[in-house]
Amino acid sequence: MTFSKSLFATATAVALIATSASADNWRAWNVHHDGHPNTAAMDRFAELVDAATNGEVTVDVFHGGVLGSQPDALEQVRIGAIEVGNFNLGPIGPMVKEANLVSLPFIFKSVPHMFRVLDGEAGEIVAKGMADAGLLPLAYFDAGARSFYSQKPINTPADVEGMKIRVMNNSLYTSMISAMGGNPSPMAFSEVQQALKTGVVDGAENNFPSFKNVGHYEVTTHYSLSEHLIIPECVCVNTTKFNALSPELQDAVRGAAVEAAAFQRELWSVQSGQARKDVEASGITVNEIADKGPFQSAMVAVYDEYLTANPDMRKLVDIAQSTE
């Protein structure tokens, strides 16, 4: 080999090593399994990132929670031990008060309204709070809306009066039921089926896919579209790792997340629509609630108590409620 060829080969090898060394290889956490819209969307995100950055950033997605529970994964992304996570915003609320916006009952009029709020000024405030905690949201996934199901239709807050309703163990959710005159019954999700069957509780609440997939439709007769909680999931990246990227790479990664989120929302719509058809075919009566105003009015005491304890959240709540 001539000197010039040898020099060229050496330079090429050094360049390849440098490129490899400078590439960012990220790990991503996802609790969902095959068949779930978020699993397909996270795989799509990884493909899009690789293509958009020409391999300068690559993402290996670990599904099924194999990298730990959601609380563990949240902390790992915050400190940068894992770079990316697909998280529900509910559990982020205790560590980022701004994220608690989505856990306020009846704060959103519908799923599209929720996305409009998060795409606007309120979303910017929430994103800053999360980013300061190490969890920068790049895009939001649809996780549906939670509605009531029981042995009777629920059309107004008065219909909840005296009912024992299973809710998640969160003071905002128990206060929501109490404000309507009901009796909140926090319990493990695994216990709800039997509790509904035996009458330990009169009703519960969840989205259509969960209502169908865990069989709660088998022990109830009515699903009422209250949509009282609309809590999205996010594609969140460690803030420090993201900020270390060039502006061009940041745009590419964020664009990949936004495109993956659009894909996820389409899949979720199909899955949720099919779940509704399936439970209606089984005999469940689904009743629309045309006016959620009375429910929102019933939450005044809940909001007053929350905002008294968290006065710095008032502006964020006002922005969300005034968003058309």
Side-chain angles (χ1 to χ4, degrees), residues 199-234:
V200 171
V201 295
D202 301 309
E205 45 84 56
N206 219 312
N207 56 47
F208 267 122
S210 294
F211 178 56
K212 175 206 167 184
N213 293 340
V214 299
H216 290 179
Y217 73 95
E218 298 171 351
V219 288
T220 52
T221 58
H222 288 76
Y223 187 98
S224 303
L225 287 167
S226 54
E227 297 187 322
H228 50 269
L229 286 173
I230 303 175
I231 303 177
E233 299 196 5
C234 65

mmCIF file of all heavy atoms in Angstrom, residues 199-234:
data_model
loop_
_atom_site.group_PDB
_atom_site.id
_atom_site.type_symbol
_atom_site.label_atom_id
_atom_site.label_comp_id
_atom_site.label_asym_id
_atom_site.label_seq_id
_atom_site.Cartn_x
_atom_site.Cartn_y
_atom_site.Cartn_z
ATOM 1 N N GLY A 199 -71.526 -5.873 44.335
ATOM 2 C CA GLY A 199 -72.191 -4.685 44.856
ATOM 3 C C GLY A 199 -71.424 -3.944 45.926
ATOM 4 O O GLY A 199 -71.972 -3.048 46.575
ATOM 5 N N VAL A 200 -70.174 -4.317 46.141
ATOM 6 C CA VAL A 200 -69.342 -3.573 47.084
ATOM 7 C C VAL A 200 -69.230 -2.118 46.622
ATOM 8 O O VAL A 200 -69.201 -1.184 47.429
ATOM 9 C CB VAL A 200 -67.942 -4.214 47.210
ATOM 10 C CG1 VAL A 200 -66.991 -3.327 48.017
ATOM 11 C CG2 VAL A 200 -68.066 -5.589 47.853
ATOM 12 N N VAL A 201 -69.164 -1.931 45.287
ATOM 13 C CA VAL A 201 -69.269 -0.585 44.708
ATOM 14 C C VAL A 201 -70.396 -0.597 43.683
ATOM 15 O O VAL A 201 -70.732 -1.643 43.121
ATOM 16 C CB VAL A 201 -67.950 -0.129 44.043
ATOM 17 C CG1 VAL A 201 -66.846 0.022 45.082
ATOM 18 C CG2 VAL A 201 -67.528 -1.061 42.919
ATOM 19 N N ASP A 202 -70.977 0.570 43.457
ATOM 20 C CA ASP A 202 -72.075 0.685 42.497
ATOM 21 C C ASP A 202 -71.591 1.042 41.102
ATOM 22 O O ASP A 202 -72.335 0.881 40.127
ATOM 23 C CB ASP A 202 -73.052 1.772 42.956
ATOM 24 C CG ASP A 202 -73.633 1.477 44.332
ATOM 25 O OD1 ASP A 202 -74.128 0.352 44.529
ATOM 26 O OD2 ASP A 202 -73.565 2.368 45.202
ATOM 27 N N GLY A 203 -70.368 1.535 41.024
ATOM 28 C CA GLY A 203 -69.845 1.936 39.726
ATOM 29 C C GLY A 203 -68.358 2.200 39.794
ATOM 30 O O GLY A 203 -67.738 2.150 40.867
ATOM 31 N N ALA A 204 -67.796 2.466 38.637
ATOM 32 C CA ALA A 204 -66.366 2.769 38.539
ATOM 33 C C ALA A 204 -66.189 3.706 37.350
ATOM 34 O O ALA A 204 -67.175 4.224 36.799
ATOM 35 C CB ALA A 204 -65.548 1.492 38.382
ATOM 36 N N GLU A 205 -64.947 3.938 36.932
ATOM 37 C CA GLU A 205 -64.709 4.842 35.817
ATOM 38 C C GLU A 205 -63.395 4.479 35.133
ATOM 39 O O GLU A 205 -62.435 4.083 35.781
ATOM 40 C CB GLU A 205 -64.726 6.301 36.278
ATOM 41 C CG GLU A 205 -63.947 6.613 37.554
ATOM 42 C CD GLU A 205 -62.473 6.838 37.305
ATOM 43 O OE1 GLU A 205 -62.128 7.708 36.491
ATOM 44 O OE2 GLU A 205 -61.652 6.126 37.922
ATOM 45 N N ASN A 206 -63.419 4.589 33.801
ATOM 46 C CA ASN A 206 -62.220 4.310 33.012
ATOM 47 C C ASN A 206 -62.532 4.623 31.547
ATOM 48 O O ASN A 206 -63.647 5.030 31.221
ATOM 49 C CB ASN A 206 -61.760 2.859 33.174
ATOM 50 C CG ASN A 206 -60.243 2.733 33.233
ATOM 51 O OD1 ASN A 206 -59.554 3.310 32.389
ATOM 52 N ND2 ASN A 206 -59.732 2.004 34.210
ATOM 53 N N ASN A 207 -61.537 4.401 30.665
ATOM 54 C CA ASN A 207 -61.770 4.628 29.247
ATOM 55 C C ASN A 207 -62.351 3.369 28.597
ATOM 56 O O ASN A 207 -62.370 2.294 29.207
ATOM 57 C CB ASN A 207 -60.484 5.079 28.543
ATOM 58 C CG ASN A 207 -59.344 4.097 28.732
ATOM 59 O OD1 ASN A 207 -59.510 2.893 28.574
ATOM 60 N ND2 ASN A 207 -58.166 4.607 29.064
ATOM 61 N N PHE A 208 -62.814 3.512 27.367
ATOM 62 C CA PHE A 208 -63.459 2.393 26.669
ATOM 63 C C PHE A 208 -62.559 1.156 26.551
ATOM 64 O O PHE A 208 -62.998 0.036 26.855
ATOM 65 C CB PHE A 208 -63.930 2.822 25.283
ATOM 66 C CG PHE A 208 -65.342 3.305 25.232
ATOM 67 C CD1 PHE A 208 -65.641 4.576 24.781
ATOM 68 C CD2 PHE A 208 -66.389 2.478 25.629
ATOM 69 C CE1 PHE A 208 -66.961 5.029 24.731
ATOM 70 C CE2 PHE A 208 -67.705 2.918 25.586
ATOM 71 C CZ PHE A 208 -67.990 4.203 25.131
ATOM 72 N N PRO A 209 -61.303 1.284 26.080
ATOM 73 C CA PRO A 209 -60.480 0.084 25.944
ATOM 74 C C PRO A 209 -60.291 -0.665 27.260
ATOM 75 O O PRO A 209 -60.369 -1.906 27.298
ATOM 76 C CB PRO A 209 -59.146 0.625 25.402
ATOM 77 C CG PRO A 209 -59.544 1.851 24.645
ATOM 78 C CD PRO A 209 -60.637 2.464 25.476
ATOM 79 N N SER A 210 -60.060 0.060 28.352
ATOM 80 C CA SER A 210 -59.882 -0.600 29.649
ATOM 81 C C SER A 210 -61.193 -1.227 30.115
ATOM 82 O O SER A 210 -61.205 -2.346 30.645
ATOM 83 C CB SER A 210 -59.383 0.402 30.690
ATOM 84 O OG SER A 210 -58.085 0.861 30.359
ATOM 85 N N PHE A 211 -62.297 -0.517 29.950
ATOM 86 C CA PHE A 211 -63.625 -1.018 30.303
ATOM 87 C C PHE A 211 -63.886 -2.361 29.634
ATOM 88 O O PHE A 211 -64.394 -3.307 30.250
ATOM 89 C CB PHE A 211 -64.663 0.016 29.881
ATOM 90 C CG PHE A 211 -66.099 -0.361 30.132
ATOM 91 C CD1 PHE A 211 -66.540 -0.711 31.392
ATOM 92 C CD2 PHE A 211 -67.023 -0.339 29.089
ATOM 93 C CE1 PHE A 211 -67.880 -1.037 31.625
ATOM 94 C CE2 PHE A 211 -68.356 -0.656 29.299
ATOM 95 C CZ PHE A 211 -68.784 -1.009 30.574
ATOM 96 N N LYS A 212 -63.491 -2.451 28.370
ATOM 97 C CA LYS A 212 -63.693 -3.693 27.630
ATOM 98 C C LYS A 212 -62.661 -4.760 27.989
ATOM 99 O O LYS A 212 -63.000 -5.905 28.311
ATOM 100 C CB LYS A 212 -63.634 -3.424 26.123
ATOM 101 C CG LYS A 212 -63.724 -4.710 25.296
ATOM 102 C CD LYS A 212 -63.073 -4.564 23.944
ATOM 103 C CE LYS A 212 -62.896 -5.921 23.284
ATOM 104 N NZ LYS A 212 -62.172 -5.819 21.999
ATOM 105 N N ASN A 213 -61.384 -4.383 27.951
ATOM 106 C CA ASN A 213 -60.311 -5.378 28.034
ATOM 107 C C ASN A 213 -60.247 -6.100 29.369
ATOM 108 O O ASN A 213 -59.817 -7.252 29.430
ATOM 109 C CB ASN A 213 -58.968 -4.722 27.719
ATOM 110 C CG ASN A 213 -58.860 -4.260 26.275
ATOM 111 O OD1 ASN A 213 -59.603 -4.723 25.408
ATOM 112 N ND2 ASN A 213 -57.955 -3.331 26.003
ATOM 113 N N VAL A 214 -60.657 -5.429 30.462
ATOM 114 C CA VAL A 214 -60.609 -6.101 31.771
ATOM 115 C C VAL A 214 -61.948 -6.723 32.146
ATOM 116 O O VAL A 214 -62.083 -7.318 33.215
ATOM 117 C CB VAL A 214 -60.150 -5.133 32.876
ATOM 118 C CG1 VAL A 214 -58.753 -4.620 32.591
ATOM 119 C CG2 VAL A 214 -61.111 -3.964 33.032
ATOM 120 N N GLY A 215 -62.953 -6.595 31.270
ATOM 121 C CA GLY A 215 -64.219 -7.280 31.496
ATOM 122 C C GLY A 215 -65.209 -6.575 32.391
ATOM 123 O O GLY A 215 -66.209 -7.176 32.808
ATOM 124 N N HIS A 216 -64.985 -5.296 32.693
ATOM 125 C CA HIS A 216 -65.936 -4.599 33.555
ATOM 126 C C HIS A 216 -67.302 -4.440 32.888
ATOM 127 O O HIS A 216 -68.315 -4.278 33.567
ATOM 128 C CB HIS A 216 -65.389 -3.224 33.962
ATOM 129 C CG HIS A 216 -64.232 -3.303 34.909
ATOM 130 N ND1 HIS A 216 -63.567 -2.191 35.397
ATOM 131 C CD2 HIS A 216 -63.600 -4.373 35.454
ATOM 132 C CE1 HIS A 216 -62.589 -2.570 36.198
ATOM 133 N NE2 HIS A 216 -62.579 -3.891 36.236
ATOM 134 N N TYR A 217 -67.337 -4.511 31.571
ATOM 135 C CA TYR A 217 -68.615 -4.421 30.861
ATOM 136 C C TYR A 217 -69.492 -5.636 31.145
ATOM 137 O O TYR A 217 -70.720 -5.590 30.947
ATOM 138 C CB TYR A 217 -68.377 -4.277 29.354
ATOM 139 C CG TYR A 217 -67.897 -5.534 28.669
ATOM 140 C CD1 TYR A 217 -68.794 -6.397 28.037
ATOM 141 C CD2 TYR A 217 -66.548 -5.886 28.666
ATOM 142 C CE1 TYR A 217 -68.364 -7.560 27.420
ATOM 143 C CE2 TYR A 217 -66.109 -7.039 28.047
ATOM 144 C CZ TYR A 217 -67.008 -7.878 27.432
ATOM 145 O OH TYR A 217 -66.569 -9.035 26.825
ATOM 146 N N GLU A 218 -68.894 -6.709 31.648
ATOM 147 C CA GLU A 218 -69.655 -7.933 31.923
ATOM 148 C C GLU A 218 -70.488 -7.819 33.199
ATOM 149 O O GLU A 218 -71.411 -8.614 33.417
ATOM 150 C CB GLU A 218 -68.699 -9.122 32.042
ATOM 151 C CG GLU A 218 -67.919 -9.414 30.762
ATOM 152 C CD GLU A 218 -66.823 -10.443 30.972
ATOM 153 O OE1 GLU A 218 -66.562 -10.789 32.141
ATOM 154 O OE2 GLU A 218 -66.237 -10.903 29.974
ATOM 155 N N VAL A 219 -70.148 -6.842 34.059
ATOM 156 C CA VAL A 219 -70.844 -6.740 35.351
ATOM 157 C C VAL A 219 -71.491 -5.370 35.549
ATOM 158 O O VAL A 219 -71.813 -4.978 36.677
ATOM 159 C CB VAL A 219 -69.871 -7.046 36.517
ATOM 160 C CG1 VAL A 219 -69.535 -8.528 36.542
ATOM 161 C CG2 VAL A 219 -68.601 -6.205 36.417
ATOM 162 N N THR A 220 -71.686 -4.630 34.451
ATOM 163 C CA THR A 220 -72.403 -3.357 34.489
ATOM 164 C C THR A 220 -73.346 -3.301 33.293
ATOM 165 O O THR A 220 -73.327 -4.186 32.431
ATOM 166 C CB THR A 220 -71.424 -2.155 34.436
ATOM 167 O OG1 THR A 220 -70.527 -2.325 33.318
ATOM 168 C CG2 THR A 220 -70.611 -2.045 35.713
ATOM 169 N N THR A 221 -74.169 -2.262 33.252
ATOM 170 C CA THR A 221 -75.144 -2.152 32.164
ATOM 171 C C THR A 221 -75.061 -0.827 31.404
ATOM 172 O O THR A 221 -75.520 -0.748 30.266
ATOM 173 C CB THR A 221 -76.582 -2.299 32.701
ATOM 174 O OG1 THR A 221 -76.822 -1.281 33.694
ATOM 175 C CG2 THR A 221 -76.793 -3.681 33.323
ATOM 176 N N HIS A 222 -74.490 0.209 32.034
ATOM 177 C CA HIS A 222 -74.463 1.531 31.409
ATOM 178 C C HIS A 222 -73.065 2.148 31.460
ATOM 179 O O HIS A 222 -72.358 2.028 32.468
ATOM 180 C CB HIS A 222 -75.442 2.494 32.116
ATOM 181 C CG HIS A 222 -76.875 2.183 31.847
ATOM 182 N ND1 HIS A 222 -77.538 1.122 32.448
ATOM 183 C CD2 HIS A 222 -77.804 2.788 31.036
ATOM 184 C CE1 HIS A 222 -78.791 1.095 32.028
ATOM 185 N NE2 HIS A 222 -78.975 2.098 31.179
ATOM 186 N N TYR A 223 -72.700 2.799 30.370
ATOM 187 C CA TYR A 223 -71.451 3.563 30.290
ATOM 188 C C TYR A 223 -71.837 4.989 29.941
ATOM 189 O O TYR A 223 -72.422 5.246 28.876
ATOM 190 C CB TYR A 223 -70.532 2.974 29.232
ATOM 191 C CG TYR A 223 -69.132 3.579 29.180
ATOM 192 C CD1 TYR A 223 -68.063 2.945 29.812
ATOM 193 C CD2 TYR A 223 -68.887 4.774 28.500
ATOM 194 C CE1 TYR A 223 -66.780 3.485 29.768
ATOM 195 C CE2 TYR A 223 -67.609 5.313 28.450
ATOM 196 C CZ TYR A 223 -66.561 4.674 29.076
ATOM 197 O OH TYR A 223 -65.303 5.215 29.040
ATOM 198 N N SER A 224 -71.549 5.929 30.850
ATOM 199 C CA SER A 224 -71.987 7.320 30.688
ATOM 200 C C SER A 224 -70.796 8.205 30.355
ATOM 201 O O SER A 224 -69.831 8.284 31.120
ATOM 202 C CB SER A 224 -72.658 7.818 31.973
ATOM 203 O OG SER A 224 -73.749 6.969 32.324
ATOM 204 N N LEU A 225 -70.862 8.902 29.228
ATOM 205 C CA LEU A 225 -69.721 9.653 28.699
ATOM 206 C C LEU A 225 -69.502 10.986 29.422
ATOM 207 O O LEU A 225 -69.638 12.061 28.851
ATOM 208 C CB LEU A 225 -69.905 9.872 27.197
ATOM 209 C CG LEU A 225 -69.701 8.610 26.358
ATOM 210 C CD1 LEU A 225 -70.213 8.816 24.936
ATOM 211 C CD2 LEU A 225 -68.231 8.231 26.324
ATOM 212 N N SER A 226 -69.133 10.881 30.692
ATOM 213 C CA SER A 226 -68.837 12.078 31.483
ATOM 214 C C SER A 226 -67.492 12.685 31.093
ATOM 215 O O SER A 226 -67.300 13.898 31.193
ATOM 216 C CB SER A 226 -68.818 11.733 32.977
ATOM 217 O OG SER A 226 -67.921 10.649 33.218
ATOM 218 N N GLU A 227 -66.538 11.854 30.691
ATOM 219 C CA GLU A 227 -65.197 12.302 30.314
ATOM 220 C C GLU A 227 -64.628 13.252 31.375
ATOM 221 O O GLU A 227 -64.071 14.298 31.073
ATOM 222 C CB GLU A 227 -65.219 12.978 28.931
ATOM 223 C CG GLU A 227 -65.630 12.042 27.814
ATOM 224 C CD GLU A 227 -65.487 12.665 26.432
ATOM 225 O OE1 GLU A 227 -65.770 13.876 26.286
ATOM 226 O OE2 GLU A 227 -65.070 11.948 25.505
ATOM 227 N N HIS A 228 -64.746 12.844 32.630
ATOM 228 C CA HIS A 228 -64.361 13.725 33.743
ATOM 229 C C HIS A 228 -62.854 13.850 33.917
ATOM 230 O O HIS A 228 -62.367 14.837 34.468
ATOM 231 C CB HIS A 228 -64.996 13.231 35.037
ATOM 232 C CG HIS A 228 -64.784 11.770 35.288
ATOM 233 N ND1 HIS A 228 -65.677 10.808 34.855
ATOM 234 C CD2 HIS A 228 -63.795 11.102 35.917
ATOM 235 C CE1 HIS A 228 -65.231 9.609 35.218
ATOM 236 N NE2 HIS A 228 -64.099 9.764 35.861
ATOM 237 N N LEU A 229 -62.115 12.859 33.467
ATOM 238 C CA LEU A 229 -60.656 12.939 33.524
ATOM 239 C C LEU A 229 -60.090 12.601 32.146
ATOM 240 O O LEU A 229 -60.376 11.535 31.590
ATOM 241 C CB LEU A 229 -60.081 11.958 34.555
ATOM 242 C CG LEU A 229 -60.248 12.330 36.028
ATOM 243 C CD1 LEU A 229 -59.787 11.179 36.924
ATOM 244 C CD2 LEU A 229 -59.472 13.599 36.368
ATOM 245 N N ILE A 230 -59.298 13.517 31.610
ATOM 246 C CA ILE A 230 -58.659 13.309 30.314
ATOM 247 C C ILE A 230 -57.167 13.533 30.522
ATOM 248 O O ILE A 230 -56.678 14.659 30.516
ATOM 249 C CB ILE A 230 -59.227 14.264 29.250
ATOM 250 C CG1 ILE A 230 -60.757 14.078 29.136
ATOM 251 C CG2 ILE A 230 -58.558 14.022 27.903
ATOM 252 C CD1 ILE A 230 -61.432 15.062 28.194
ATOM 253 N N ILE A 231 -56.471 12.444 30.776
ATOM 254 C CA ILE A 231 -55.049 12.520 31.151
ATOM 255 C C ILE A 231 -54.213 11.902 30.028
ATOM 256 O O ILE A 231 -54.258 10.694 29.811
ATOM 257 C CB ILE A 231 -54.793 11.780 32.478
ATOM 258 C CG1 ILE A 231 -55.695 12.359 33.580
ATOM 259 C CG2 ILE A 231 -53.329 11.889 32.876
ATOM 260 C CD1 ILE A 231 -55.575 11.644 34.915
ATOM 261 N N PRO A 232 -53.450 12.706 29.321
ATOM 262 C CA PRO A 232 -52.660 12.179 28.200
ATOM 263 C C PRO A 232 -51.376 11.504 28.659
ATOM 264 O O PRO A 232 -51.025 11.533 29.852
ATOM 265 C CB PRO A 232 -52.334 13.447 27.403
ATOM 266 C CG PRO A 232 -52.196 14.494 28.472
ATOM 267 C CD PRO A 232 -53.243 14.152 29.495
ATOM 268 N N GLU A 233 -50.702 10.876 27.728
ATOM 269 C CA GLU A 233 -49.352 10.377 27.960
ATOM 270 C C GLU A 233 -48.389 11.208 27.117
ATOM 271 O O GLU A 233 -48.811 11.878 26.173
ATOM 272 C CB GLU A 233 -49.258 8.891 27.609
ATOM 273 C CG GLU A 233 -50.181 8.042 28.463
ATOM 274 C CD GLU A 233 -49.855 6.554 28.417
ATOM 275 O OE1 GLU A 233 -48.842 6.176 27.801
ATOM 276 O OE2 GLU A 233 -50.632 5.775 28.999
ATOM 277 N N CYS A 234 -47.125 11.192 27.486
ATOM 278 C CA CYS A 234 -46.160 12.022 26.773
ATOM 279 C C CYS A 234 -44.961 11.197 26.319
ATOM 280 O O CYS A 234 -44.675 10.135 26.873
ATOM 281 C CB CYS A 234 -45.664 13.162 27.664
ATOM 282 S SG CYS A 234 -44.709 12.615 29.105
#
